[in-house]
């Protein structure tokens, strides 16, 4: 059933995450509507799907959570698993914006070393008040890292960027051997479909 809650990436699952170009808001919405309609009877093993629209009107990001890895289609968008997360233990704020940064990396050792270095570079006393959480996703084939961060708003993320809060991270993004930034974006959650939500009693 549809809802408007950000996905819980700490739930054990294989994450299949893909993006596609859409020329404007209407096309973005049409892409989501078509994909949502195609999942009227979700396949076994698919627990939830979340659709995000980029704030520039050019991209749709689809995040599918699979509880059964063997049920994931063999061809399609990259598969990820959660490596590490940064979040306050009793966080209750509702995310208003998703920020992503995707990287190609030279193998599993580079995945781990790069992610650990980015985490170590985070401020010890807490970051910008608009930052809610960060999840570091590793491609199962060892070739990718996806940084998935939840913020209270686009404006909060922009404030942090202008204040230089991300400078150390950006140095690592551009200066780590064997790591290549491929793309990133700012997104708003548009729609979700979850089989984990029990049906309401009638």
């Amino acid at each position: 059933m549809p809802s408007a809650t950000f996905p819980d990436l700490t739930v054990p699952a294989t994450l299949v995450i893909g993006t596609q170009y859409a020329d404007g808001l209407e096309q973005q919405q049409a892409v989501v509507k078509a994909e949502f309609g195609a999942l009227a009877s979700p396949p076994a093993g698919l627990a939830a799907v979340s659709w995000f629209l980029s704030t520039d009107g050019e991209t749709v990001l689809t995040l599918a959570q699979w509880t059964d890895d063997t049920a994931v289609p063999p061809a399609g968008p990259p598969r990820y698993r959660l490596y590490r997360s940064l979040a306050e233990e009793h966080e209750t704020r509702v995310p208003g914006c998703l920020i992503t940064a995707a990287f190609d990396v030279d193998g599993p050792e580079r995945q781990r070393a790069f992610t650990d270095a980015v985490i170590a570079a985070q401020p010890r006393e807490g970051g910008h008040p608009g930052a809610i959480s960060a999840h570091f996703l590793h491609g199962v084939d060892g070739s990718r890292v996806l940084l998935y961060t939840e913020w209270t708003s686009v404006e909060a993320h922009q404030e942090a960027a202008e204040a230089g809060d991300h400078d150390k991270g950006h140095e690592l993004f551009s200066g780590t051997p064997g790591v290549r930034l491929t793309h990133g974006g700012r997104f708003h959650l548009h729609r979700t479909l979850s089989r984990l939500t029990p049906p309401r009693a009638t």
Side-chain angles (χ1 to χ4, degrees), residues 9 15 17-19 61 63 80-84 98-105 111 114-115 134-139 144-149 182-184:
L9 299 195
L15 307 172
I17 303 173
T19 58
L61 183 149
L63 186 156
Y80 295 89
R81 291 195 181 96
L82 179 65
Y83 174 65
R84 291 179 66 180
L98 166 65
I99 307 295
T100 64
F103 306 86
D104 285 342
V105 297
Q111 279 181 316
F114 172 63
T115 300
H135 303 282
F136 297 84
L137 311 180
H138 285 184
R144 297 178 177 88
V145 172
L146 179 66
L147 175 55
Y148 174 111
T149 60
T182 58
H183 62 272

PDB file of all heavy atoms in Angstrom, residues 9 15 17-19 61 63 80-84 98-105 111 114-115 134-139 144-149 182-184:
ATOM      1  N   LEU A   9      16.713   1.650   5.877  1.00  0.00           N
ATOM      2  CA  LEU A   9      17.797   0.912   5.248  1.00  0.00           C
ATOM      3  C   LEU A   9      18.526  -0.008   6.215  1.00  0.00           C
ATOM      4  O   LEU A   9      19.380  -0.797   5.797  1.00  0.00           O
ATOM      5  CB  LEU A   9      18.799   1.875   4.607  1.00  0.00           C
ATOM      6  CG  LEU A   9      18.265   2.777   3.490  1.00  0.00           C
ATOM      7  CD1 LEU A   9      19.428   3.379   2.716  1.00  0.00           C
ATOM      8  CD2 LEU A   9      17.338   2.036   2.546  1.00  0.00           C
ATOM      9  N   LEU A  15      19.478  -4.205  -1.663  1.00  0.00           N
ATOM     10  CA  LEU A  15      18.906  -2.990  -2.213  1.00  0.00           C
ATOM     11  C   LEU A  15      19.239  -2.900  -3.699  1.00  0.00           C
ATOM     12  O   LEU A  15      20.411  -2.970  -4.078  1.00  0.00           O
ATOM     13  CB  LEU A  15      19.456  -1.765  -1.478  1.00  0.00           C
ATOM     14  CG  LEU A  15      19.310  -1.799   0.043  1.00  0.00           C
ATOM     15  CD1 LEU A  15      20.059  -0.633   0.666  1.00  0.00           C
ATOM     16  CD2 LEU A  15      17.854  -1.772   0.452  1.00  0.00           C
ATOM     17  N   ILE A  17      19.032  -0.350  -6.669  1.00  0.00           N
ATOM     18  CA  ILE A  17      18.843   1.094  -6.808  1.00  0.00           C
ATOM     19  C   ILE A  17      19.222   1.523  -8.218  1.00  0.00           C
ATOM     20  O   ILE A  17      20.338   1.285  -8.678  1.00  0.00           O
ATOM     21  CB  ILE A  17      19.702   1.857  -5.778  1.00  0.00           C
ATOM     22  CG1 ILE A  17      19.360   1.394  -4.362  1.00  0.00           C
ATOM     23  CG2 ILE A  17      19.484   3.361  -5.914  1.00  0.00           C
ATOM     24  CD1 ILE A  17      20.264   1.964  -3.292  1.00  0.00           C
ATOM     25  N   GLY A  18      18.280   2.145  -8.879  1.00  0.00           N
ATOM     26  CA  GLY A  18      18.529   2.609 -10.233  1.00  0.00           C
ATOM     27  C   GLY A  18      17.993   4.011 -10.439  1.00  0.00           C
ATOM     28  O   GLY A  18      17.109   4.464  -9.717  1.00  0.00           O
ATOM     29  N   THR A  19      18.527   4.698 -11.424  1.00  0.00           N
ATOM     30  CA  THR A  19      18.044   6.030 -11.788  1.00  0.00           C
ATOM     31  C   THR A  19      17.740   6.053 -13.277  1.00  0.00           C
ATOM     32  O   THR A  19      18.340   5.309 -14.059  1.00  0.00           O
ATOM     33  CB  THR A  19      19.081   7.122 -11.466  1.00  0.00           C
ATOM     34  OG1 THR A  19      20.299   6.833 -12.173  1.00  0.00           O
ATOM     35  CG2 THR A  19      19.356   7.199  -9.977  1.00  0.00           C
ATOM     36  N   LEU A  61      14.782   8.241  -9.039  1.00  0.00           N
ATOM     37  CA  LEU A  61      15.564   7.215  -8.354  1.00  0.00           C
ATOM     38  C   LEU A  61      14.598   6.201  -7.761  1.00  0.00           C
ATOM     39  O   LEU A  61      13.684   6.565  -7.014  1.00  0.00           O
ATOM     40  CB  LEU A  61      16.444   7.828  -7.264  1.00  0.00           C
ATOM     41  CG  LEU A  61      17.388   6.880  -6.509  1.00  0.00           C
ATOM     42  CD1 LEU A  61      18.643   7.630  -6.074  1.00  0.00           C
ATOM     43  CD2 LEU A  61      16.727   6.233  -5.293  1.00  0.00           C
ATOM     44  N   LEU A  63      14.335   2.772  -5.453  1.00  0.00           N
ATOM     45  CA  LEU A  63      15.037   1.949  -4.466  1.00  0.00           C
ATOM     46  C   LEU A  63      14.133   0.788  -4.079  1.00  0.00           C
ATOM     47  O   LEU A  63      13.073   0.990  -3.489  1.00  0.00           O
ATOM     48  CB  LEU A  63      15.405   2.783  -3.236  1.00  0.00           C
ATOM     49  CG  LEU A  63      16.267   2.120  -2.157  1.00  0.00           C
ATOM     50  CD1 LEU A  63      17.018   3.192  -1.359  1.00  0.00           C
ATOM     51  CD2 LEU A  63      15.436   1.272  -1.198  1.00  0.00           C
ATOM     52  N   TYR A  80      22.972  -3.458  -3.932  1.00  0.00           N
ATOM     53  CA  TYR A  80      23.779  -2.957  -2.817  1.00  0.00           C
ATOM     54  C   TYR A  80      23.386  -3.652  -1.520  1.00  0.00           C
ATOM     55  O   TYR A  80      22.261  -4.158  -1.382  1.00  0.00           O
ATOM     56  CB  TYR A  80      23.559  -1.446  -2.617  1.00  0.00           C
ATOM     57  CG  TYR A  80      24.016  -0.571  -3.755  1.00  0.00           C
ATOM     58  CD1 TYR A  80      23.159  -0.264  -4.810  1.00  0.00           C
ATOM     59  CD2 TYR A  80      25.301  -0.035  -3.773  1.00  0.00           C
ATOM     60  CE1 TYR A  80      23.569   0.557  -5.854  1.00  0.00           C
ATOM     61  CE2 TYR A  80      25.723   0.789  -4.816  1.00  0.00           C
ATOM     62  CZ  TYR A  80      24.849   1.076  -5.846  1.00  0.00           C
ATOM     63  OH  TYR A  80      25.253   1.883  -6.885  1.00  0.00           O
ATOM     64  N   ARG A  81      24.308  -3.605  -0.558  1.00  0.00           N
ATOM     65  CA  ARG A  81      23.997  -3.980   0.823  1.00  0.00           C
ATOM     66  C   ARG A  81      24.564  -2.898   1.733  1.00  0.00           C
ATOM     67  O   ARG A  81      25.582  -2.272   1.429  1.00  0.00           O
ATOM     68  CB  ARG A  81      24.587  -5.347   1.175  1.00  0.00           C
ATOM     69  CG  ARG A  81      23.907  -6.498   0.439  1.00  0.00           C
ATOM     70  CD  ARG A  81      24.238  -7.852   1.059  1.00  0.00           C
ATOM     71  NE  ARG A  81      23.588  -8.920   0.310  1.00  0.00           N
ATOM     72  CZ  ARG A  81      24.171  -9.633  -0.638  1.00  0.00           C
ATOM     73  NH1 ARG A  81      25.430  -9.379  -0.970  1.00  0.00           N
ATOM     74  NH2 ARG A  81      23.511 -10.592  -1.267  1.00  0.00           N
ATOM     75  N   LEU A  82      23.883  -2.695   2.855  1.00  0.00           N
ATOM     76  CA  LEU A  82      24.321  -1.687   3.816  1.00  0.00           C
ATOM     77  C   LEU A  82      25.637  -2.123   4.459  1.00  0.00           C
ATOM     78  O   LEU A  82      25.757  -3.247   4.960  1.00  0.00           O
ATOM     79  CB  LEU A  82      23.245  -1.492   4.881  1.00  0.00           C
ATOM     80  CG  LEU A  82      23.568  -0.486   5.989  1.00  0.00           C
ATOM     81  CD1 LEU A  82      23.685   0.928   5.422  1.00  0.00           C
ATOM     82  CD2 LEU A  82      22.501  -0.534   7.072  1.00  0.00           C
ATOM     83  N   TYR A  83      26.617  -1.209   4.449  1.00  0.00           N
ATOM     84  CA  TYR A  83      27.899  -1.473   5.097  1.00  0.00           C
ATOM     85  C   TYR A  83      27.947  -0.840   6.485  1.00  0.00           C
ATOM     86  O   TYR A  83      28.186  -1.525   7.474  1.00  0.00           O
ATOM     87  CB  TYR A  83      29.042  -0.950   4.221  1.00  0.00           C
ATOM     88  CG  TYR A  83      30.410  -1.049   4.856  1.00  0.00           C
ATOM     89  CD1 TYR A  83      30.975  -2.285   5.155  1.00  0.00           C
ATOM     90  CD2 TYR A  83      31.150   0.096   5.165  1.00  0.00           C
ATOM     91  CE1 TYR A  83      32.239  -2.375   5.749  1.00  0.00           C
ATOM     92  CE2 TYR A  83      32.406   0.015   5.741  1.00  0.00           C
ATOM     93  CZ  TYR A  83      32.948  -1.220   6.033  1.00  0.00           C
ATOM     94  OH  TYR A  83      34.189  -1.314   6.615  1.00  0.00           O
ATOM     95  N   ARG A  84      27.701   0.468   6.557  1.00  0.00           N
ATOM     96  CA  ARG A  84      27.689   1.155   7.846  1.00  0.00           C
ATOM     97  C   ARG A  84      26.692   2.305   7.788  1.00  0.00           C
ATOM     98  O   ARG A  84      26.376   2.807   6.706  1.00  0.00           O
ATOM     99  CB  ARG A  84      29.080   1.709   8.207  1.00  0.00           C
ATOM    100  CG  ARG A  84      30.108   0.644   8.512  1.00  0.00           C
ATOM    101  CD  ARG A  84      31.470   1.248   8.843  1.00  0.00           C
ATOM    102  NE  ARG A  84      31.450   2.012  10.088  1.00  0.00           N
ATOM    103  CZ  ARG A  84      32.522   2.633  10.595  1.00  0.00           C
ATOM    104  NH1 ARG A  84      33.689   2.565   9.946  1.00  0.00           N
ATOM    105  NH2 ARG A  84      32.450   3.308  11.715  1.00  0.00           N
ATOM    106  N   LEU A  98      16.628  13.678   0.310  1.00  0.00           N
ATOM    107  CA  LEU A  98      17.655  12.656   0.147  1.00  0.00           C
ATOM    108  C   LEU A  98      18.778  13.232  -0.700  1.00  0.00           C
ATOM    109  O   LEU A  98      18.530  13.796  -1.771  1.00  0.00           O
ATOM    110  CB  LEU A  98      17.069  11.420  -0.537  1.00  0.00           C
ATOM    111  CG  LEU A  98      18.067  10.389  -1.088  1.00  0.00           C
ATOM    112  CD1 LEU A  98      18.849   9.750   0.043  1.00  0.00           C
ATOM    113  CD2 LEU A  98      17.344   9.334  -1.920  1.00  0.00           C
ATOM    114  N   ILE A  99      20.018  13.073  -0.231  1.00  0.00           N
ATOM    115  CA  ILE A  99      21.199  13.478  -0.987  1.00  0.00           C
ATOM    116  C   ILE A  99      22.013  12.222  -1.279  1.00  0.00           C
ATOM    117  O   ILE A  99      22.296  11.433  -0.366  1.00  0.00           O
ATOM    118  CB  ILE A  99      22.066  14.482  -0.204  1.00  0.00           C
ATOM    119  CG1 ILE A  99      21.238  15.676   0.274  1.00  0.00           C
ATOM    120  CG2 ILE A  99      23.245  14.945  -1.058  1.00  0.00           C
ATOM    121  CD1 ILE A  99      20.672  16.539  -0.818  1.00  0.00           C
ATOM    122  N   THR A 100      22.390  12.014  -2.531  1.00  0.00           N
ATOM    123  CA  THR A 100      23.188  10.845  -2.877  1.00  0.00           C
ATOM    124  C   THR A 100      24.499  11.252  -3.538  1.00  0.00           C
ATOM    125  O   THR A 100      24.603  12.310  -4.158  1.00  0.00           O
ATOM    126  CB  THR A 100      22.432   9.913  -3.849  1.00  0.00           C
ATOM    127  OG1 THR A 100      22.217  10.602  -5.100  1.00  0.00           O
ATOM    128  CG2 THR A 100      21.097   9.476  -3.270  1.00  0.00           C
ATOM    129  N   ALA A 101      25.487  10.385  -3.386  1.00  0.00           N
ATOM    130  CA  ALA A 101      26.748  10.498  -4.118  1.00  0.00           C
ATOM    131  C   ALA A 101      27.175   9.079  -4.459  1.00  0.00           C
ATOM    132  O   ALA A 101      27.279   8.233  -3.562  1.00  0.00           O
ATOM    133  CB  ALA A 101      27.813  11.197  -3.286  1.00  0.00           C
ATOM    134  N   ALA A 102      27.406   8.808  -5.740  1.00  0.00           N
ATOM    135  CA  ALA A 102      27.740   7.467  -6.198  1.00  0.00           C
ATOM    136  C   ALA A 102      29.176   7.435  -6.712  1.00  0.00           C
ATOM    137  O   ALA A 102      29.637   8.378  -7.363  1.00  0.00           O
ATOM    138  CB  ALA A 102      26.776   7.027  -7.301  1.00  0.00           C
ATOM    139  N   PHE A 103      29.867   6.328  -6.426  1.00  0.00           N
ATOM    140  CA  PHE A 103      31.273   6.195  -6.781  1.00  0.00           C
ATOM    141  C   PHE A 103      31.534   4.828  -7.411  1.00  0.00           C
ATOM    142  O   PHE A 103      30.977   3.812  -6.973  1.00  0.00           O
ATOM    143  CB  PHE A 103      32.159   6.312  -5.532  1.00  0.00           C
ATOM    144  CG  PHE A 103      31.930   7.551  -4.723  1.00  0.00           C
ATOM    145  CD1 PHE A 103      30.928   7.595  -3.755  1.00  0.00           C
ATOM    146  CD2 PHE A 103      32.704   8.686  -4.924  1.00  0.00           C
ATOM    147  CE1 PHE A 103      30.710   8.737  -3.005  1.00  0.00           C
ATOM    148  CE2 PHE A 103      32.490   9.829  -4.174  1.00  0.00           C
ATOM    149  CZ  PHE A 103      31.489   9.858  -3.211  1.00  0.00           C
ATOM    150  N   ASP A 104      32.398   4.817  -8.417  1.00  0.00           N
ATOM    151  CA  ASP A 104      33.010   3.576  -8.884  1.00  0.00           C
ATOM    152  C   ASP A 104      34.297   3.381  -8.092  1.00  0.00           C
ATOM    153  O   ASP A 104      35.063   4.340  -7.889  1.00  0.00           O
ATOM    154  CB  ASP A 104      33.345   3.654 -10.378  1.00  0.00           C
ATOM    155  CG  ASP A 104      32.112   3.531 -11.257  1.00  0.00           C
ATOM    156  OD1 ASP A 104      31.076   3.065 -10.762  1.00  0.00           O
ATOM    157  OD2 ASP A 104      32.198   3.925 -12.438  1.00  0.00           O
ATOM    158  N   VAL A 105      34.526   2.143  -7.642  1.00  0.00           N
ATOM    159  CA  VAL A 105      35.727   1.865  -6.839  1.00  0.00           C
ATOM    160  C   VAL A 105      36.411   0.603  -7.356  1.00  0.00           C
ATOM    161  O   VAL A 105      35.785  -0.247  -7.993  1.00  0.00           O
ATOM    162  CB  VAL A 105      35.391   1.705  -5.343  1.00  0.00           C
ATOM    163  CG1 VAL A 105      34.818   2.994  -4.773  1.00  0.00           C
ATOM    164  CG2 VAL A 105      34.419   0.553  -5.118  1.00  0.00           C
ATOM    165  N   GLN A 111      36.408  -0.327  -1.393  1.00  0.00           N
ATOM    166  CA  GLN A 111      35.093   0.019  -0.836  1.00  0.00           C
ATOM    167  C   GLN A 111      35.199   0.292   0.663  1.00  0.00           C
ATOM    168  O   GLN A 111      34.753   1.331   1.156  1.00  0.00           O
ATOM    169  CB  GLN A 111      34.098  -1.141  -1.038  1.00  0.00           C
ATOM    170  CG  GLN A 111      33.437  -1.254  -2.381  1.00  0.00           C
ATOM    171  CD  GLN A 111      32.472  -2.422  -2.410  1.00  0.00           C
ATOM    172  OE1 GLN A 111      32.777  -3.510  -1.929  1.00  0.00           O
ATOM    173  NE2 GLN A 111      31.306  -2.213  -2.983  1.00  0.00           N
ATOM    174  N   PHE A 114      37.728   3.315   1.660  1.00  0.00           N
ATOM    175  CA  PHE A 114      37.165   4.622   1.321  1.00  0.00           C
ATOM    176  C   PHE A 114      36.016   4.979   2.265  1.00  0.00           C
ATOM    177  O   PHE A 114      35.958   6.093   2.806  1.00  0.00           O
ATOM    178  CB  PHE A 114      36.677   4.601  -0.125  1.00  0.00           C
ATOM    179  CG  PHE A 114      35.907   5.828  -0.535  1.00  0.00           C
ATOM    180  CD1 PHE A 114      36.506   7.076  -0.539  1.00  0.00           C
ATOM    181  CD2 PHE A 114      34.575   5.732  -0.930  1.00  0.00           C
ATOM    182  CE1 PHE A 114      35.798   8.216  -0.919  1.00  0.00           C
ATOM    183  CE2 PHE A 114      33.859   6.849  -1.319  1.00  0.00           C
ATOM    184  CZ  PHE A 114      34.468   8.099  -1.306  1.00  0.00           C
ATOM    185  N   THR A 115      35.107   4.040   2.492  1.00  0.00           N
ATOM    186  CA  THR A 115      33.973   4.313   3.382  1.00  0.00           C
ATOM    187  C   THR A 115      34.452   4.620   4.789  1.00  0.00           C
ATOM    188  O   THR A 115      33.977   5.577   5.423  1.00  0.00           O
ATOM    189  CB  THR A 115      33.018   3.111   3.404  1.00  0.00           C
ATOM    190  OG1 THR A 115      32.533   2.868   2.089  1.00  0.00           O
ATOM    191  CG2 THR A 115      31.843   3.385   4.327  1.00  0.00           C
ATOM    192  N   ALA A 134      23.250   9.071   7.691  1.00  0.00           N
ATOM    193  CA  ALA A 134      24.032   8.725   6.496  1.00  0.00           C
ATOM    194  C   ALA A 134      24.168   7.214   6.450  1.00  0.00           C
ATOM    195  O   ALA A 134      24.482   6.579   7.460  1.00  0.00           O
ATOM    196  CB  ALA A 134      25.400   9.388   6.531  1.00  0.00           C
ATOM    197  N   HIS A 135      23.920   6.652   5.273  1.00  0.00           N
ATOM    198  CA  HIS A 135      24.036   5.208   5.074  1.00  0.00           C
ATOM    199  C   HIS A 135      25.022   4.957   3.937  1.00  0.00           C
ATOM    200  O   HIS A 135      24.909   5.565   2.864  1.00  0.00           O
ATOM    201  CB  HIS A 135      22.675   4.601   4.736  1.00  0.00           C
ATOM    202  CG  HIS A 135      21.627   4.865   5.781  1.00  0.00           C
ATOM    203  ND1 HIS A 135      21.565   4.162   6.964  1.00  0.00           N
ATOM    204  CD2 HIS A 135      20.627   5.779   5.827  1.00  0.00           C
ATOM    205  CE1 HIS A 135      20.554   4.604   7.687  1.00  0.00           C
ATOM    206  NE2 HIS A 135      19.981   5.602   7.013  1.00  0.00           N
ATOM    207  N   PHE A 136      25.966   4.065   4.174  1.00  0.00           N
ATOM    208  CA  PHE A 136      27.004   3.756   3.200  1.00  0.00           C
ATOM    209  C   PHE A 136      26.702   2.385   2.612  1.00  0.00           C
ATOM    210  O   PHE A 136      26.757   1.366   3.309  1.00  0.00           O
ATOM    211  CB  PHE A 136      28.377   3.788   3.862  1.00  0.00           C
ATOM    212  CG  PHE A 136      28.743   5.145   4.397  1.00  0.00           C
ATOM    213  CD1 PHE A 136      28.306   5.554   5.653  1.00  0.00           C
ATOM    214  CD2 PHE A 136      29.500   6.028   3.636  1.00  0.00           C
ATOM    215  CE1 PHE A 136      28.637   6.813   6.148  1.00  0.00           C
ATOM    216  CE2 PHE A 136      29.828   7.292   4.118  1.00  0.00           C
ATOM    217  CZ  PHE A 136      29.390   7.682   5.380  1.00  0.00           C
ATOM    218  N   LEU A 137      26.351   2.378   1.339  1.00  0.00           N
ATOM    219  CA  LEU A 137      25.930   1.160   0.654  1.00  0.00           C
ATOM    220  C   LEU A 137      27.041   0.675  -0.272  1.00  0.00           C
ATOM    221  O   LEU A 137      27.621   1.469  -1.015  1.00  0.00           O
ATOM    222  CB  LEU A 137      24.665   1.424  -0.158  1.00  0.00           C
ATOM    223  CG  LEU A 137      23.520   2.148   0.566  1.00  0.00           C
ATOM    224  CD1 LEU A 137      22.335   2.348  -0.368  1.00  0.00           C
ATOM    225  CD2 LEU A 137      23.105   1.403   1.824  1.00  0.00           C
ATOM    226  N   HIS A 138      27.322  -0.618  -0.220  1.00  0.00           N
ATOM    227  CA  HIS A 138      28.362  -1.203  -1.044  1.00  0.00           C
ATOM    228  C   HIS A 138      27.749  -2.095  -2.107  1.00  0.00           C
ATOM    229  O   HIS A 138      26.897  -2.952  -1.807  1.00  0.00           O
ATOM    230  CB  HIS A 138      29.324  -2.036  -0.191  1.00  0.00           C
ATOM    231  CG  HIS A 138      30.266  -1.227   0.611  1.00  0.00           C
ATOM    232  ND1 HIS A 138      31.266  -1.773   1.389  1.00  0.00           N
ATOM    233  CD2 HIS A 138      30.388   0.128   0.759  1.00  0.00           C
ATOM    234  CE1 HIS A 138      31.949  -0.810   1.974  1.00  0.00           C
ATOM    235  NE2 HIS A 138      31.437   0.352   1.614  1.00  0.00           N
ATOM    236  N   GLY A 139      28.171  -1.899  -3.357  1.00  0.00           N
ATOM    237  CA  GLY A 139      27.745  -2.780  -4.427  1.00  0.00           C
ATOM    238  C   GLY A 139      28.195  -4.204  -4.140  1.00  0.00           C
ATOM    239  O   GLY A 139      29.336  -4.427  -3.724  1.00  0.00           O
ATOM    240  N   ARG A 144      31.166  -0.568  -6.498  1.00  0.00           N
ATOM    241  CA  ARG A 144      30.472   0.701  -6.267  1.00  0.00           C
ATOM    242  C   ARG A 144      30.309   0.993  -4.771  1.00  0.00           C
ATOM    243  O   ARG A 144      30.215   0.085  -3.949  1.00  0.00           O
ATOM    244  CB  ARG A 144      29.072   0.689  -6.900  1.00  0.00           C
ATOM    245  CG  ARG A 144      29.038   0.546  -8.404  1.00  0.00           C
ATOM    246  CD  ARG A 144      27.601   0.505  -8.901  1.00  0.00           C
ATOM    247  NE  ARG A 144      27.508   0.443 -10.353  1.00  0.00           N
ATOM    248  CZ  ARG A 144      27.522  -0.691 -11.047  1.00  0.00           C
ATOM    249  NH1 ARG A 144      27.611  -1.853 -10.404  1.00  0.00           N
ATOM    250  NH2 ARG A 144      27.430  -0.665 -12.354  1.00  0.00           N
ATOM    251  N   VAL A 145      30.232   2.283  -4.477  1.00  0.00           N
ATOM    252  CA  VAL A 145      29.813   2.779  -3.163  1.00  0.00           C
ATOM    253  C   VAL A 145      28.766   3.846  -3.403  1.00  0.00           C
ATOM    254  O   VAL A 145      28.942   4.718  -4.260  1.00  0.00           O
ATOM    255  CB  VAL A 145      30.990   3.376  -2.363  1.00  0.00           C
ATOM    256  CG1 VAL A 145      30.484   4.067  -1.099  1.00  0.00           C
ATOM    257  CG2 VAL A 145      32.003   2.296  -2.002  1.00  0.00           C
ATOM    258  N   LEU A 146      27.665   3.767  -2.660  1.00  0.00           N
ATOM    259  CA  LEU A 146      26.627   4.793  -2.742  1.00  0.00           C
ATOM    260  C   LEU A 146      26.433   5.403  -1.361  1.00  0.00           C
ATOM    261  O   LEU A 146      26.137   4.698  -0.398  1.00  0.00           O
ATOM    262  CB  LEU A 146      25.302   4.198  -3.231  1.00  0.00           C
ATOM    263  CG  LEU A 146      24.140   5.200  -3.337  1.00  0.00           C
ATOM    264  CD1 LEU A 146      24.417   6.243  -4.417  1.00  0.00           C
ATOM    265  CD2 LEU A 146      22.834   4.477  -3.628  1.00  0.00           C
ATOM    266  N   LEU A 147      26.655   6.702  -1.273  1.00  0.00           N
ATOM    267  CA  LEU A 147      26.412   7.440  -0.035  1.00  0.00           C
ATOM    268  C   LEU A 147      24.988   7.986  -0.079  1.00  0.00           C
ATOM    269  O   LEU A 147      24.636   8.768  -0.971  1.00  0.00           O
ATOM    270  CB  LEU A 147      27.425   8.579   0.105  1.00  0.00           C
ATOM    271  CG  LEU A 147      27.256   9.535   1.280  1.00  0.00           C
ATOM    272  CD1 LEU A 147      27.208   8.787   2.603  1.00  0.00           C
ATOM    273  CD2 LEU A 147      28.360  10.569   1.290  1.00  0.00           C
ATOM    274  N   TYR A 148      24.174   7.563   0.881  1.00  0.00           N
ATOM    275  CA  TYR A 148      22.750   7.883   0.930  1.00  0.00           C
ATOM    276  C   TYR A 148      22.521   8.651   2.227  1.00  0.00           C
ATOM    277  O   TYR A 148      22.662   8.093   3.315  1.00  0.00           O
ATOM    278  CB  TYR A 148      21.977   6.560   0.906  1.00  0.00           C
ATOM    279  CG  TYR A 148      20.482   6.614   1.095  1.00  0.00           C
ATOM    280  CD1 TYR A 148      19.623   6.311   0.037  1.00  0.00           C
ATOM    281  CD2 TYR A 148      19.910   6.875   2.338  1.00  0.00           C
ATOM    282  CE1 TYR A 148      18.240   6.293   0.214  1.00  0.00           C
ATOM    283  CE2 TYR A 148      18.533   6.867   2.515  1.00  0.00           C
ATOM    284  CZ  TYR A 148      17.706   6.567   1.456  1.00  0.00           C
ATOM    285  OH  TYR A 148      16.335   6.549   1.635  1.00  0.00           O
ATOM    286  N   THR A 149      22.244   9.950   2.130  1.00  0.00           N
ATOM    287  CA  THR A 149      22.111  10.770   3.333  1.00  0.00           C
ATOM    288  C   THR A 149      20.736  11.424   3.406  1.00  0.00           C
ATOM    289  O   THR A 149      20.204  11.903   2.401  1.00  0.00           O
ATOM    290  CB  THR A 149      23.196  11.861   3.397  1.00  0.00           C
ATOM    291  OG1 THR A 149      23.082  12.718   2.255  1.00  0.00           O
ATOM    292  CG2 THR A 149      24.583  11.236   3.403  1.00  0.00           C
ATOM    293  N   THR A 182      30.858   9.389  -9.719  1.00  0.00           N
ATOM    294  CA  THR A 182      30.161   9.271 -10.998  1.00  0.00           C
ATOM    295  C   THR A 182      28.958  10.203 -11.089  1.00  0.00           C
ATOM    296  O   THR A 182      28.721  10.814 -12.117  1.00  0.00           O
ATOM    297  CB  THR A 182      29.720   7.828 -11.251  1.00  0.00           C
ATOM    298  OG1 THR A 182      28.871   7.384 -10.168  1.00  0.00           O
ATOM    299  CG2 THR A 182      30.929   6.908 -11.351  1.00  0.00           C
ATOM    300  N   HIS A 183      28.194  10.294 -10.044  1.00  0.00           N
ATOM    301  CA  HIS A 183      27.040  11.200 -10.059  1.00  0.00           C
ATOM    302  C   HIS A 183      26.481  11.343  -8.653  1.00  0.00           C
ATOM    303  O   HIS A 183      26.842  10.599  -7.733  1.00  0.00           O
ATOM    304  CB  HIS A 183      25.939  10.681 -11.007  1.00  0.00           C
ATOM    305  CG  HIS A 183      25.382   9.344 -10.609  1.00  0.00           C
ATOM    306  ND1 HIS A 183      25.936   8.155 -11.031  1.00  0.00           N
ATOM    307  CD2 HIS A 183      24.327   9.005  -9.829  1.00  0.00           C
ATOM    308  CE1 HIS A 183      25.254   7.143 -10.541  1.00  0.00           C
ATOM    309  NE2 HIS A 183      24.268   7.623  -9.793  1.00  0.00           N
ATOM    310  N   GLY A 184      25.599  12.287  -8.496  1.00  0.00           N
ATOM    311  CA  GLY A 184      24.914  12.506  -7.226  1.00  0.00           C
ATOM    312  C   GLY A 184      23.667  13.317  -7.482  1.00  0.00           C
ATOM    313  O   GLY A 184      23.399  13.736  -8.618  1.00  0.00           O
TER     314      GLY A 184
END
